[in-house]
Amino acid sequence: MPGLMPWKPLFPLFLVLFSVVAQAGDPSDLVDPFVGTLNMGHTYPGATVPFGGVQLSPDTRRLAMFDDQGQYVREVYRYCAGYQYEDSTITGFSHTHFSGTGHSDLGDISLMPVRGAVNLDDPATWQAGFYHENEEAYPGYYAARLEEPACDVELTATTRTGLHRYTYFSGNQGRGRAGVVLDLTANIYDYEGKNVWTFLRVENDTLVTGYRTTSGWARTRTVYFALAFDRPVVDYRIKRLDKTPYNGFYRRFDQENNFPEGAGRQVRAAFFFDLPEEGKLQAKVGLSGVSCAGALANLEAEAPGWDFDGAHRAARQAWNTELDKIQAKFMNNDQASVFYTALYHSMLSPVVYQDVDGSYRGLDQNIHQAEGFTNYTIFSLWDTYRALHPLFNLIQPERNGDMVASMLAHQRQSVHGMLPIWSHHANENWCMIGYHGVPVIADALAKGVPLGGGFTAGDALQACVETARVPYFDGVGEMVKLGYVPDEVSGSSASITLELAYDDWCITEMARSLGRDGVAAEFEARSRNFENIFDPRIGFMRPRDRDGAWRPDFDVMATHGQGFIEGNAWNYSLYVPQDVPRLVELMGGGEKFSAHLDSLFTMQIDDEHIAHTEDITRDGIIGNYVHGNEPGHHIPYLYNWAGRPDRTQERVREIMGSMYGTGPAGLCGNDDAGQMSAWYIFSALGFYPVCPGSAWYALGSPLVSEARVDLGQGKALEVVVHDQGPQNIYVKRVVLNGKEVKGVVVNHADLAAGGKLEFFMGCALKNVSGPGAEG
Amino acid sequence: MPGLMPWKPLFPLFLVLFSVVAQAGDPSDLVDPFVGTLNMGHTYPGATVPFGGVQLSPDTRRLAMFDDQGQYVREVYRYCAGYQYEDSTITGFSHTHFSGTGHSDLGDISLMPVRGAVNLDDPATWQAGFYHENEEAYPGYYAARLEEPACDVELTATTRTGLHRYTYFSGNQGRGRAGVVLDLTANIYDYEGKNVWTFLRVENDTLVTGYRTTSGWARTRTVYFALAFDRPVVDYRIKRLDKTPYNGFYRRFDQENNFPEGAGRQVRAAFFFDLPEEGKLQAKVGLSGVSCAGALANLEAEAPGWDFDGAHRAARQAWNTELDKIQAKFMNNDQASVFYTALYHSMLSPVVYQDVDGSYRGLDQNIHQAEGFTNYTIFSLWDTYRALHPLFNLIQPERNGDMVASMLAHQRQSVHGMLPIWSHHANENWCMIGYHGVPVIADALAKGVPLGGGFTAGDALQACVETARVPYFDGVGEMVKLGYVPDEVSGSSASITLELAYDDWCITEMARSLGRDGVAAEFEARSRNFENIFDPRIGFMRPRDRDGAWRPDFDVMATHGQGFIEGNAWNYSLYVPQDVPRLVELMGGGEKFSAHLDSLFTMQIDDEHIAHTEDITRDGIIGNYVHGNEPGHHIPYLYNWAGRPDRTQERVREIMGSMYGTGPAGLCGNDDAGQMSAWYIFSALGFYPVCPGSAWYALGSPLVSEARVDLGQGKALEVVVHDQGPQNIYVKRVVLNGKEVKGVVVNHADLAAGGKLEFFMGCALKNVSGPGAEG
């Protein structure tokens, strides 16, 4: 690895002007939860705590997944998080939301304040208009004024509960009795039949319990709840919308009015109250994946009284504590806001998925006890193995050790014996390719992060090996024989071959470190499979059929239908994080490789080439490089191995400046459960985990002026950027713990020991020619 | 109460000939599980253990509950237990069945041996013909030969498991591979949408787990299972019949062939095996209401190996132990068979409903731990409070104490705070009227049976009182004000008024015994409500409206639409078990009352008058008296209070002779979860609990020649019948513990102390005139 050129600061005085101390108040003040709520960021503005199991947020439209003709409604993709900033109507406040995902589900247990009679058959009778000027959101808090009924809504949350405070204008006077609709039919990404079953009990005049099972993206998912009000319900209705033929159960009851139980496929309820003049009503909801009793216990443990303000303060304090783990200064407040919003978004998943007593529903649908770890869910691993979990290994090692434990428990509960692929709420939805739980685990081990739950490195390796040996998963069986996944097996055969080669390299490294030579040899061979699909005649990775023939009529630009998934050959051909030097060699050496990367960033991709890939939008593209989706996130850093770290520095700074911004449109694509944000955080600190599972980070160009990264256990990494400035994007010299860094990477151990990483910046272009990587 | 006339045996020698020692071998040999499987007995012939939670039995037809026009298919009523003797086709062997109920549900987890390819879309491809000559059933064992595939099926059971042994003829040769269909869509009392969800995992090549949730008679019912084979599955298919729009889950898998999980609304599977020449395959299924893990634990605890014969022996031994609790001798073997079959039928419900670790699903759908009791389910209380639970108080006091505990736990889990009405599998189906958990509890307390679960008499009273005060249940609120349930509130207002008056009398008695005078006074007043609906002008009970007006156009013969349920005014007007003397008085005194009863038994009821009442069929009727259904079961004993015990003796013997028989048609109506059988058992012993909740039994005319009733704790009641004979139906004298019984009743305490009850029989008619009851 080449050392960077020595360099002297040119404009130290000028730069001081930009080194605004970003943290005048709470770091929470720098966070804007609306970032990403417009277009395809797929974030939600509602209230949640760090890694909180409840995400209480407004939903702004009800969209069926299929139209009257049974056609998929592409518009629903925009509503993955339930909320779109351009909408002016709120349909309800539900308690579960994905943050930034590329697919949707959830939207459970929707509440909505109402006035007077509502028609429970018709959601239009309770959805309400609102204006953004009457709306605000901070970490752990959301508020909006509903126009009709005139009502202020405030939301906050704990890990397992959501708290609502409603203020109905003019108290109990006029416009009918104040009420709350509980809509158990409301779903994000709805379709006829998504609701499998709902169950409801009015336990007493202030407590309602129940659950609902849905079959959506998660095939079998049950959310149990306990809903409490701070005033007695004086009148209520329960409406079952589905008509099941047998109706005898209720033949002797008026089942709709003040009858304390209801169940069916589609159930809604409305509760009414006599309010005092000031019109205040509070509601709180505990959730559980285990049982109604668990939901109630969670509610009683985390929100025992009616102290909304106290809960809000606690939520904010929890956010401040987490956000303070990186104390960074920036050149301007917008950068600080983007950074801290990214840091906020990086802690919205995975989320805690267990009751306060440690019990949780496992993948096998049985109830398990989390012994020695906290169980987490929402693993969007194709996205998050890249930078999010590596970020956790820096600033959330204990949580990440528990997330690994959660994945290992999942693997033991899996009938396939597989680690999660894309898992949420005790389900595997199999979204995207690879078994990227493996690099998450390998990265934790490589970085010495202790695993939760008493799992050993040997347990972890075993889980990875079992996962990687499932022959019917994505063509693995044929891949083992042929050295690649053949085109006939999967429409993503080339992507799969590439990503599994990387995952298998992670297994190799783990096995080697544990002295498991046989396993290491088995997977090392597999880790080189990328070479088998590189077509040297065209210089791209390319699908092959079972006979070894290259795919004919191959379009290297199209992001769909060419053997790759959510990316084209241009981007995916650069996916060999485990052996960048070999990739450079295959591509003809550093100079050609560098020129190739230049082409990627400067050529144009046509609309038709991205038309069939929801996750790729114009907003997230530079030339033909796609930052708005994951498979290329390491690409800007690859210039380092072509002897052009300056180009890496340019592109990284360009991407930070153009692909991330303030305001609702601040994200260039799905935040992808925090991966997009984690890319920003690493890059802003000046380094990036190009190859998770290894202990090295590639160097980039920091955006911070200085930063203190709390590594836990009293250790901190200091990042000091000398001569930072908008034009000073080039890194002249890097000094780690007083010692000049030779090459383009730094080692985790050197940072994690509590080091000081100094960047010396400059604006002068220099022609760096250096050797490839020894990463 | 008058003493019976002294009497001397006339034909002692002759009678000896009829006193066949019925128990040459096991009492199980006297049981015929086919009794009641033809027509409307609604029993099943399959394998179960006493009070066993698994009832493994063949199902002989798949009937939709509604026809193509959406009309209810009355025929399904015949299939409450899944099997009709006249059928010649078996559709599967499922693991849960009601015994003798008047409504249906269950039929869970159906297995069927098959050969070669089956079309999982079409049950016709695996249903199989059979002949009764190739079928046999004993307590704990069922066997049938299926014609195609040629296969012998044997079934046995433990409390929580069902064991299958299949012998495929000519082993693995010819006619395709041996297999087993697992049909999770099969339901008894099926309708479109009854299946809510099914879930399936092939854990390994010998173990399958899963569950299914149905919304049928029970609104929300889940049965978890673990299915093991004694040979490895070599090939399998899982077929999801429902089409849910989102299909992404499986897009990369061949979901139907050898893929180890499946879920959906309608799922079937087929497993195939390589069998040895002898063609033997064993399967075993554990059930749980808690979880798949619970089902597996139940399976491992109760059926750990592959010892079908051992399990069969244990099941038979368990039956012998229970059946031996009454060692009775009869005049002929048919009577013995009828008696022991009745005793067998009396122990098929309630059934154990908890896992081996004591956990069970409660009415609130939460998982509870049964502390200090065994939890039971299937409470058909409108039927079984009459004689079945009183029978348990004699020969199953510990179980009945646990059943009461189960009901009290249910009451605490009920959002209504109500004891079970008709409850099964953690659900309340609200079938029939009254809150007859109350008399079950009162009877246990009156007879000194200890309650399980640490519940006290005070707890029990409290539960009864809370139940009886729910104002929205069956017009209770208005009843409290008016003194009767008004006609406007319920189509069964008169029946409800009568039965609640009795239930409230039970509460009165309990309260009084506990010194709770206020409660006693409250319910004593309610217990006399029967007087308010007696119309003295016509001499019948009669519905009244809110203004007190008698129902116009009143038909005392019709069993439907006259303010009574499953009975007409003739029968229901005799329903004042708590105060027969007052009833006699209302009806004009003993002589008129006796003549009235004579009319009941001798008049004819038209078909049109019973046409709308499924539970009443011609088979179960004597004149206008309906023995095939419950509300009149005490009526034959009422002659005692009209000074005509001889008439009671005649009718009781007539009913035992004509309404109960051997063979599939041996029951005159639904066995009603054992009530019909319990009537027979008591009557055969010579006494009957006319008023459960009191400690007295009315005397009848015994059918046994002698009997020894094991009361537990080393005590036994001996029934000795002197001069028994087919013509000697009259009781001349009764001696209890050496002391002549004065009157028409005996006291429980005198029997339960381990007494000797002697009947002296004769055939001479005598004109007995005696006073009414002091019961």
Side-chain angles (χ1 to χ4, degrees):
Chain A
M1 236 165 294
L4 298 176
M5 291 292 115
W7 183 84
K8 265 184 78 136
L10 290 177
F11 310 112
L13 227 83
F14 174 80
L15 289 176
V16 168
L17 298 176
F18 289 88
S19 291
V20 174
V21 176
Q23 286 178 237
D26 288 348
S28 286
D29 288 332
L30 295 166
V31 174
D32 179 5
F34 289 107
V35 167
T37 61
L38 190 63
N39 303 329
M40 294 305 176
H42 293 183
T43 56
Y44 61 83
T48 189
V49 295
F51 308 97
V54 167
Q55 309 89 31
L56 175 54
S57 189
D59 300 310
T60 54
R61 211 182 290 188
R62 287 176 73 97
L63 279 176
M65 188 166 147
F66 296 90
D67 65 16
D68 289 347
Q69 276 72 48
Q71 294 301 303
Y72 171 69
V73 179
R74 287 181 65 93
E75 179 74 345
V76 300
Y77 180 70
R78 297 178 63 233
Y79 287 83
C80 282
Y83 180 98
Q84 270 292 343
Y85 196 79
E86 67 180 13
D87 288 338
S88 56
T89 303
I90 288 174
T91 59
F93 300 92
S94 68
H95 289 75
T96 57
H97 293 85
F98 287 137
S99 178
T101 55
H103 203 297
S104 74
D105 204 347
L106 312 183
D108 300 293
I109 321 302
S110 177
L111 295 187
M112 189 69 178
V114 293
R115 273 276 189 197
V118 290
N119 177 359
L120 287 177
D121 284 317
D122 182 9
T125 64
W126 64 83
Q127 65 187 31
F130 75 113
Y131 297 101
H132 290 305
E133 52 265 41
N134 296 329
E135 188 189 28
E136 53 183 347
Y138 302 101
Y141 180 81
Y142 172 90
R145 171 164 297 176
L146 305 181
E147 293 298 304
E148 182 62 46
C151 183
D152 280 344
V153 172
E154 296 171 279
L155 309 175
T156 188
T158 71
T159 298
R160 297 167 182 86
T161 78
L163 286 77
H164 306 239
R165 183 162 64 187
Y166 304 147
T167 308
Y168 299 79
F169 297 166
S170 66
N172 217 29
Q173 310 305 310
R175 284 180 298 185
R177 205 171 222 167
V180 175
V181 164
L182 167 62
D183 186 1
L184 295 176
T185 77
N187 272 298
I188 296 176
Y189 217 51
D190 203 6
Y191 66 84
E192 173 72 29
K194 180 175 177 185
N195 258 30
V196 168
W197 199 246
T198 56
F199 184 90
L200 193 61
R201 280 162 56 107
V202 182
E203 302 280 351
N204 56 51
D205 63 2
T206 59
L207 179 65
V208 182
T209 64
Y211 65 82
R212 113 170 150 173
T213 302
T214 51
S215 180
W217 198 27
R219 197 171 49 173
T220 308
R221 191 175 64 84
T222 302
V223 176
Y224 300 85
F225 69 91
L227 158 64
F229 298 105
D230 72 341
R231 306 195 153 271
V233 175
V234 293
D235 183 38
Y236 64 97
R237 300 206 291 289
I238 297 177
K239 176 93 182 178
R240 179 172 56 115
L241 280 77
D242 56 305
K243 304 292 176 220
T244 44
Y246 181 67
N247 207 15
F249 183 97
Y250 278 134
R251 62 185 167 185
R252 54 156 64 98
F253 298 113
D254 171 3
Q255 66 180 290
E256 293 198 354
N257 292 294
N258 300 307
F259 187 74
E261 55 178 327
R265 287 179 172 75
Q266 305 287 352
V267 172
R268 292 176 178 146
F271 303 93
F272 296 94
F273 306 85
D274 285 335
L275 296 189
E277 187 55 35
E278 77 270 20
K280 287 255 191 289
L281 176 71
Q282 291 191 60
K284 56 186 181 183
V285 175
L287 296 191
S288 167
V290 172
S291 65
C292 293
L296 186 56
N298 291 339
L299 186 63
E300 287 170 348
E302 295 191 352
W306 289 104
D307 185 7
F308 182 95
D309 292 324
H312 174 202
R313 274 195 303 275
R316 187 181 178 85
Q317 186 50 53
W319 275 114
N320 283 339
T321 300
E322 296 298 344
L323 296 169
D324 262 342
K325 286 190 172 162
I326 303 182
Q327 296 177 352
K329 295 177 186 173
F330 291 89
M331 289 172 272
N332 61 56
N333 273 331
D334 275 0
Q335 288 173 353
S337 177
V338 169
F339 183 89
Y340 280 97
T341 300
L343 193 55
Y344 170 79
H345 281 148
S346 77
M347 300 190 218
L348 298 183
S349 56
V351 300
V352 172
Y353 189 64
Q354 67 170 40
D355 287 354
V356 288
D357 68 356
S359 62
Y360 69 97
R361 186 170 300 274
L363 183 65
D364 55 6
Q365 301 293 307
N366 288 317
I367 304 306
H368 297 262
Q369 194 71 20
E371 303 280 6
F373 70 106
T374 296
N375 190 60
Y376 286 84
T377 193
I378 305 183
F379 288 101
S380 180
L381 291 161
W382 182 80
D383 304 298
T384 58
Y385 81 90
R386 301 169 198 265
L388 184 67
H389 288 281
L391 175 64
F392 293 159
N393 282 333
L394 269 186
I395 59 170
Q396 301 283 355
E398 195 181 335
R399 285 190 201 270
N400 205 49
D402 283 358
M403 290 171 192
V404 169
S406 304
M407 293 196 295
L408 293 173
H410 171 117
Q411 189 267 340
R412 291 186 178 184
Q413 293 153 11
S414 161
V415 74
H416 311 279
M418 287 189 74
L419 287 162
I421 305 302
W422 208 125
S423 169
H424 71 286
H425 289 206
N427 276 265
E428 176 57 80
N429 62 49
W430 301 108
C431 186
M432 297 303 291
I433 59 168
Y435 27 75
H436 297 310
V438 167
V440 172
I441 293 169
D443 200 56
L445 293 176
K447 292 169 182 171
V449 169
L451 309 186
F455 287 104
T456 66
D459 295 335
L461 174 65
Q462 184 63 25
C464 293
V465 168
E466 287 177 13
T467 299
R469 283 181 180 157
V470 172
Y472 53 80
F473 176 68
D474 267 4
V476 165
E478 292 204 51
M479 184 191 76
V480 169
K481 289 181 205 141
L482 297 171
Y484 56 92
V485 176
D487 205 7
E488 296 94 326
V489 165
S490 168
S492 311
S493 67
S495 292
I496 295 169
T497 300
L498 292 170
E499 295 194 12
L500 294 194
Y502 160 69
D503 289 343
D504 290 345
W505 175 86
C506 291
I507 296 176
T508 308
E509 289 292 292
M510 279 188 280
R512 196 167 283 147
S513 76
L514 291 169
R516 297 283 302 281
D517 295 341
V519 172
E522 171 187 350
F523 284 92
E524 180 166 33
R526 290 169 54 156
S527 77
R528 311 214 62 79
N529 281 343
F530 67 90
E531 305 214 21
N532 299 330
I533 61 160
F534 183 77
D535 182 353
R537 289 172 308 168
I538 63 169
F540 287 95
M541 302 291 177
R542 184 175 184 177
R544 298 176 80 171
D545 68 14
R546 285 188 174 114
D547 296 328
W550 299 108
R551 174 190 271 245
D553 304 324
F554 182 54
D555 181 347
V556 294
M557 289 298 285
T559 60
H560 185 80
Q562 299 300 319
F564 299 95
I565 185 165
E566 294 192 8
N568 58 20
W570 264 96
N571 280 274
Y572 249 114
S573 294
L574 298 167
Y575 189 87
V576 190
Q578 72 275 27
D579 195 351
V580 181
R582 176 61 183 146
L583 174 67
V584 173
E585 192 174 85
L586 284 172
M587 296 282 224
E591 209 161 324
K592 282 186 82 171
F593 188 70
S594 172
H596 184 84
L597 293 176
D598 287 347
S599 298
L600 175 73
F601 279 101
T602 53
M603 69 196 301
Q604 289 305 313
I605 188 167
D606 298 334
D607 284 345
E608 69 182 87
H609 281 129
I610 61 171
H612 298 288
T613 306
E614 279 181 328
D615 290 75
I616 297 177
T617 60
R618 199 44 80 185
D619 292 343
I621 295 178
I622 298 173
N624 183 19
Y625 167 72
V626 178
H627 191 74
N629 202 30
E630 275 64 21
H633 270 188
H634 63 301
I635 292 175
Y637 287 92
L638 294 185
Y639 278 109
N640 277 326
W641 284 266
R644 294 301 301 270
D646 57 316
R647 282 268 194 266
T648 286
Q649 293 152 23
E650 286 166 5
R651 290 300 179 189
V652 163
R653 287 286 277 255
E654 177 191 0
I655 293 165
M656 284 191 276
S658 64
M659 299 277 118
Y660 297 84
T662 57
L667 289 176
C668 68
N670 312 154
D671 193 53
D672 282 318
Q675 164 58 25
M676 197 70 73
S677 290
W679 187 96
Y680 186 88
I681 292 159
F682 269 116
S683 295
L685 293 173
F687 55 95
Y688 185 83
V690 164
C691 182
S694 77
W696 54 266
Y697 302 99
L699 289 167
S701 173
L703 195 67
V704 300
S705 300
E706 60 177 83
R708 185 183 182 282
V709 181
D710 182 351
L711 304 167
Q713 302 192 304
K715 286 180 186 153
L717 165 67
E718 279 188 73
V719 178
V720 179
V721 183
H722 301 281
D723 307 319
Q724 179 63 293
Q727 271 74 48
N728 288 7
I729 62 174
Y730 297 105
V731 176
K732 301 302 181 185
R733 196 156 68 93
V734 176
V735 174
L736 178 54
N737 300 332
K739 209 174 144 190
E740 183 143 337
V741 173
K742 312 281 186 199
V744 296
V745 305
V746 288
N747 221 284
H748 178 81
D750 295 329
L751 304 182
K756 182 174 182 182
L757 182 63
E758 292 173 274
F759 291 89
F760 295 83
M761 309 300 289
C763 67
L765 258 175
K766 61 192 178 60
N767 196 3
V768 181
S769 70
E774 298 128 45
Chain B
M1 238 166 294
L4 298 176
M5 291 291 117
W7 181 85
K8 267 185 74 133
L10 291 176
F11 308 112
L13 228 83
F14 172 79
L15 288 178
V16 169
L17 299 176
F18 288 90
S19 293
V20 173
V21 176
Q23 289 178 236
D26 288 346
S28 286
D29 288 331
L30 294 166
V31 174
D32 178 6
F34 290 107
V35 167
T37 60
L38 189 63
N39 305 328
M40 294 304 177
H42 293 185
T43 55
Y44 61 84
T48 190
V49 295
F51 307 96
V54 167
Q55 309 89 31
L56 176 52
S57 189
D59 300 310
T60 54
R61 212 182 289 188
R62 288 175 72 97
L63 280 175
M65 189 167 145
F66 296 89
D67 65 16
D68 290 344
Q69 276 71 48
Q71 294 301 302
Y72 171 69
V73 179
R74 289 182 63 91
E75 178 74 347
V76 300
Y77 180 71
R78 296 178 63 231
Y79 287 84
C80 283
Y83 179 98
Q84 271 292 343
Y85 196 79
E86 69 181 10
D87 288 337
S88 54
T89 303
I90 288 173
T91 59
F93 300 93
S94 67
H95 290 75
T96 57
H97 293 85
F98 287 137
S99 179
T101 55
H103 203 296
S104 74
D105 204 346
L106 312 182
D108 300 293
I109 321 301
S110 177
L111 295 185
M112 190 69 180
V114 294
R115 272 275 189 201
V118 289
N119 175 0
L120 286 177
D121 284 316
D122 182 9
T125 64
W126 65 83
Q127 65 186 30
F130 74 112
Y131 297 102
H132 290 305
E133 53 264 42
N134 296 329
E135 186 190 29
E136 53 183 349
Y138 302 101
Y141 180 82
Y142 172 89
R145 171 164 298 178
L146 305 181
E147 291 298 303
E148 182 59 49
C151 182
D152 280 345
V153 172
E154 296 171 280
L155 309 176
T156 189
T158 71
T159 297
R160 296 166 182 87
T161 79
L163 286 77
H164 305 237
R165 183 163 63 187
Y166 304 147
T167 307
Y168 299 80
F169 296 167
S170 65
N172 218 28
Q173 310 304 309
R175 284 180 296 185
R177 205 170 222 170
V180 175
V181 165
L182 167 62
D183 186 1
L184 294 176
T185 76
N187 272 299
I188 296 176
Y189 217 51
D190 203 6
Y191 66 84
E192 174 72 27
K194 180 175 177 183
N195 258 30
V196 168
W197 200 246
T198 56
F199 184 90
L200 193 61
R201 281 163 56 108
V202 183
E203 303 279 351
N204 56 49
D205 65 0
T206 59
L207 178 64
V208 183
T209 64
Y211 66 82
R212 112 170 149 173
T213 301
T214 52
S215 181
W217 200 27
R219 197 172 46 172
T220 308
R221 192 175 65 84
T222 302
V223 177
Y224 299 86
F225 70 91
L227 158 64
F229 297 106
D230 72 342
R231 307 197 154 268
V233 174
V234 293
D235 182 39
Y236 64 97
R237 298 205 291 287
I238 297 177
K239 176 94 184 178
R240 179 172 57 116
L241 280 77
D242 55 305
K243 304 292 175 219
T244 44
Y246 181 69
N247 209 12
F249 183 97
Y250 279 135
R251 61 185 168 186
R252 56 157 62 98
F253 299 114
D254 172 3
Q255 65 179 293
E256 293 199 354
N257 291 293
N258 300 308
F259 186 73
E261 55 179 328
R265 286 180 172 75
Q266 305 286 351
V267 173
R268 292 174 178 148
F271 303 92
F272 295 94
F273 305 85
D274 285 335
L275 296 188
E277 187 55 36
E278 76 270 21
K280 287 256 192 286
L281 176 72
Q282 290 190 61
K284 57 186 181 183
V285 175
L287 296 192
S288 167
V290 173
S291 65
C292 293
L296 185 57
N298 290 339
L299 186 62
E300 287 170 349
E302 293 191 352
W306 289 104
D307 185 9
F308 183 95
D309 291 327
H312 174 201
R313 274 195 304 275
R316 188 181 178 87
Q317 185 51 50
W319 275 114
N320 283 339
T321 299
E322 296 298 343
L323 295 168
D324 261 341
K325 287 191 172 162
I326 304 182
Q327 297 179 351
K329 296 180 184 173
F330 291 89
M331 289 173 274
N332 61 57
N333 273 331
D334 276 358
Q335 288 174 352
S337 176
V338 169
F339 182 89
Y340 279 97
T341 299
L343 193 54
Y344 169 80
H345 281 147
S346 78
M347 299 189 221
L348 299 183
S349 55
V351 300
V352 172
Y353 189 63
Q354 68 170 39
D355 286 355
V356 288
D357 68 358
S359 63
Y360 69 99
R361 186 170 300 273
L363 183 64
D364 55 8
Q365 300 293 307
N366 288 316
I367 305 305
H368 297 263
Q369 193 69 20
E371 303 280 4
F373 70 105
T374 297
N375 190 60
Y376 285 84
T377 193
I378 305 181
F379 288 101
S380 181
L381 291 161
W382 182 81
D383 304 300
T384 58
Y385 81 89
R386 301 168 198 265
L388 184 65
H389 288 281
L391 176 63
F392 293 159
N393 282 333
L394 270 185
I395 61 170
Q396 301 283 355
E398 194 182 335
R399 286 189 198 271
N400 206 49
D402 283 358
M403 290 170 192
V404 169
S406 305
M407 293 195 295
L408 293 173
H410 171 116
Q411 189 268 339
R412 292 187 177 184
Q413 293 152 11
S414 162
V415 75
H416 311 278
M418 288 190 72
L419 288 162
I421 306 301
W422 209 124
S423 170
H424 70 287
H425 289 208
N427 276 264
E428 175 58 80
N429 62 48
W430 300 108
C431 185
M432 297 305 290
I433 59 168
Y435 28 75
H436 297 310
V438 167
V440 171
I441 293 169
D443 200 57
L445 293 176
K447 292 169 182 170
V449 169
L451 308 186
F455 288 103
T456 66
D459 296 335
L461 174 63
Q462 184 63 25
C464 294
V465 168
E466 287 177 13
T467 300
R469 284 182 181 155
V470 173
Y472 52 80
F473 176 69
D474 267 7
V476 164
E478 293 205 51
M479 184 191 77
V480 168
K481 291 179 204 145
L482 296 170
Y484 57 91
V485 176
D487 205 5
E488 296 94 326
V489 167
S490 168
S492 311
S493 66
S495 291
I496 295 170
T497 300
L498 292 169
E499 294 193 12
L500 294 194
Y502 160 69
D503 289 343
D504 290 344
W505 175 85
C506 290
I507 296 176
T508 309
E509 290 292 293
M510 279 187 278
R512 195 167 283 145
S513 76
L514 291 168
R516 298 282 302 280
D517 294 340
V519 172
E522 172 187 350
F523 285 92
E524 179 166 36
R526 290 168 56 154
S527 78
R528 311 212 63 78
N529 282 342
F530 68 90
E531 304 213 19
N532 300 329
I533 61 162
F534 184 76
D535 182 355
R537 289 171 309 168
I538 63 170
F540 287 96
M541 303 290 178
R542 185 173 183 179
R544 297 174 79 172
D545 68 15
R546 286 188 173 115
D547 297 327
W550 298 109
R551 175 189 270 245
D553 307 323
F554 182 55
D555 181 348
V556 295
M557 289 299 284
T559 60
H560 184 80
Q562 300 299 318
F564 300 95
I565 185 166
E566 295 192 6
N568 57 20
W570 263 95
N571 282 273
Y572 249 112
S573 296
L574 298 167
Y575 188 88
V576 189
Q578 73 273 30
D579 194 352
V580 182
R582 176 61 183 146
L583 174 68
V584 173
E585 195 174 83
L586 285 172
M587 295 282 224
E591 208 160 324
K592 281 186 84 170
F593 188 70
S594 170
H596 183 84
L597 292 176
D598 286 349
S599 297
L600 176 73
F601 280 100
T602 53
M603 69 196 300
Q604 288 304 312
I605 187 168
D606 297 334
D607 284 343
E608 67 183 88
H609 282 128
I610 60 172
H612 299 288
T613 307
E614 279 181 327
D615 290 73
I616 298 176
T617 60
R618 200 42 82 185
D619 291 344
I621 294 177
I622 298 172
N624 182 18
Y625 166 73
V626 178
H627 191 75
N629 202 30
E630 275 65 22
H633 271 187
H634 63 300
I635 293 175
Y637 288 93
L638 294 184
Y639 278 110
N640 277 325
W641 284 265
R644 294 300 301 270
D646 57 314
R647 281 268 193 267
T648 286
Q649 294 151 23
E650 286 168 4
R651 289 299 179 189
V652 164
R653 287 286 279 254
E654 177 190 359
I655 293 165
M656 285 191 276
S658 63
M659 299 277 119
Y660 297 84
T662 57
L667 289 177
C668 67
N670 312 153
D671 194 52
D672 282 318
Q675 164 57 24
M676 198 70 75
S677 289
W679 187 97
Y680 186 88
I681 294 159
F682 269 116
S683 295
L685 293 172
F687 55 96
Y688 185 83
V690 163
C691 182
S694 76
W696 54 265
Y697 303 98
L699 289 167
S701 175
L703 196 68
V704 299
S705 300
E706 61 176 82
R708 185 182 180 283
V709 181
D710 182 351
L711 304 169
Q713 303 193 300
K715 286 179 185 153
L717 164 67
E718 278 189 73
V719 177
V720 179
V721 183
H722 302 281
D723 307 321
Q724 179 62 291
Q727 271 74 50
N728 288 8
I729 62 175
Y730 298 105
V731 176
K732 301 301 182 187
R733 195 156 69 93
V734 176
V735 173
L736 177 55
N737 301 333
K739 207 173 146 193
E740 183 141 338
V741 173
K742 310 283 185 197
V744 294
V745 303
V746 287
N747 221 283
H748 178 81
D750 296 327
L751 303 182
K756 183 174 182 181
L757 181 63
E758 292 174 274
F759 291 90
F760 295 85
M761 308 300 289
C763 66
L765 258 176
K766 64 199 171 58
N767 196 2
V768 180
S769 70
E774 300 127 47

